[in-house]
Amino acid sequence: MFSVPNGTAVEVGQVWLVTVAEARAARVAEAAAACDAILAPLAARFGVYERDTWPAQLAEARALLADPALATPPQAGQVDAIPTLRGITSVTGEDLGAFAAAVVKNNDDWLRVTAHVAGQRQAAVARLKACAALADVLAVPLDFALPA
């Protein structure tokens, strides 16, 4: 005995009547899960708390690249404009400017990869929305790939 997406219990071999809208919704969810499955191993290389710093790292990296004087440590009582980058590089020993450039490049690379995968999902969803028959919904391929 199995449950189908709407929660109904069915026996193996039992006919299951499904509407095109229900099949479409299930395939859209399948597409989202397939994209997550492709991207999850890439994101898993970094801990969630490190990923939480990515927006701050990017903002600080852009600020530092626009104004290299920010690399100078702040005087007592001054607010540090790049505390995340300074905190990371104080441990790694990397050059602030080189690290900032790497942060921007990594962000650009991540956006390129995720945009490529998201574009494939959105194209599949558009094809699914255009389907009028159940067979057409089932025929839409959901074989997404990372960019070359």
Side-chain angles (χ1 to χ4, degrees):
M1 180 87 45
F2 296 94
S3 291
V4 294
N6 68 3
T8 305
V10 295
E11 299 281 338
V12 173
Q14 175 182 341
V15 175
W16 173 43
L17 299 177
V18 63
T19 68
V20 171
E22 289 170 331
R24 189 180 299 125
R27 293 300 309 270
V28 166
E30 185 181 345
C35 290
D36 287 349
I38 289 172
L39 295 172
L42 298 176
R45 296 180 2 218
F46 307 94
V48 65
Y49 297 109
E50 183 175 353
R51 286 193 311 265
D52 286 348
T53 71
W54 287 357
Q57 287 186 45
L58 182 59
E60 293 176 22
R62 287 182 173 150
L64 178 61
L65 294 173
D67 183 2
L70 295 176
T72 303
Q75 298 297 316
Q78 289 181 326
V79 175
D80 190 353
I82 57 166
T84 310
L85 297 187
R86 197 176 312 282
I88 292 169
T89 59
S90 72
V91 176
T92 65
E94 294 172 80
D95 174 76
L96 269 169
F99 185 74
V103 165
V104 171
K105 181 186 180 311
N106 288 343
N107 181 75
D108 291 348
D109 290 347
W110 178 250
L111 290 178
R112 180 181 60 81
V113 168
T114 56
H116 183 82
V117 173
Q120 292 172 82
R121 185 197 64 78
Q122 290 175 13
V125 169
R127 286 185 63 192
L128 288 166
K129 286 181 178 179
C131 293
L134 184 58
D136 296 333
V137 171
L138 298 174
V140 173
L142 301 179
D143 52 347
F144 307 126
L146 294 173

